[in-house]
Amino acid sequence: MNVHDFLYYIILPILSISSLLVFVRFFKGPSIVDRVVALDLLITIGIGIIAIYSILSNKPTFLDISLVLALIAFLGTVAFAYYLEKRNKND
């Protein structure tokens, strides 16, 4: 078993199952904070899938796309945390 087989037959199914579980948490989340964390985790799983696709297809430009997606996800999470902080101070 080489690296490509390991990524294709073990890592991708694990990421797929985890994304399904995170979707359930995203839709059932009792609070908005749980939904934001689930959305951030979905983006992180998507970054992992893009990185694995980049390795399997031997196209390193997809790694740049995943890097930009990670930066956008980080900024979105920080912005939402700032919004929640301001909202809690006003209450």
Side-chain angles (χ1 to χ4, degrees), residues 46-70:
I47 290 167
I49 291 172
I50 291 171
I52 290 173
Y53 178 74
S54 171
I55 293 169
L56 291 176
S57 65
N58 199 18
K59 295 181 181 176
T61 56
F62 284 112
L63 292 176
D64 296 335
I65 294 169
S66 64
L67 182 66
V68 169
L69 189 61

Side-chain angles (χ1 to χ4, degrees), residues 13-27 42 45 49:
I14 289 172
L15 287 175
S16 300
I17 292 169
S18 65
S19 67
L20 290 175
L21 293 173
V22 172
F23 265 121
V24 170
R25 175 49 58 195
F26 180 72
F27 290 122
L42 277 173
I45 292 170
I49 291 172

Side-chain angles (χ1 to χ4, degrees):
M1 177 177 259
N2 59 12
V3 173
H4 291 285
D5 292 338
F6 180 73
L7 290 174
Y8 191 73
Y9 293 116
I10 295 175
I11 302 299
L12 277 179
I14 289 172
L15 287 175
S16 300
I17 292 169
S18 65
S19 67
L20 290 175
L21 293 173
V22 172
F23 265 121
V24 170
R25 175 49 58 195
F26 180 72
F27 290 122
K28 284 180 65 176
S31 69
I32 194 156
V33 176
D34 292 329
R35 290 186 172 131
V36 169
V37 170
L39 183 65
D40 194 38
L41 188 57
L42 277 173
I43 293 171
T44 304
I45 292 170
I47 290 167
I49 291 172
I50 291 171
I52 290 173
Y53 178 74
S54 171
I55 293 169
L56 291 176
S57 65
N58 199 18
K59 295 181 181 176
T61 56
F62 284 112
L63 292 176
D64 296 335
I65 294 169
S66 64
L67 182 66
V68 169
L69 189 61
L71 290 172
I72 291 171
F74 173 73
L75 289 175
T77 304
V78 169
F80 186 75
Y82 180 75
Y83 166 73
L84 284 179
E85 179 94 11
K86 289 292 186 182
R87 189 177 78 168
N88 287 338
K89 283 186 179 179
N90 291 335
D91 290 341

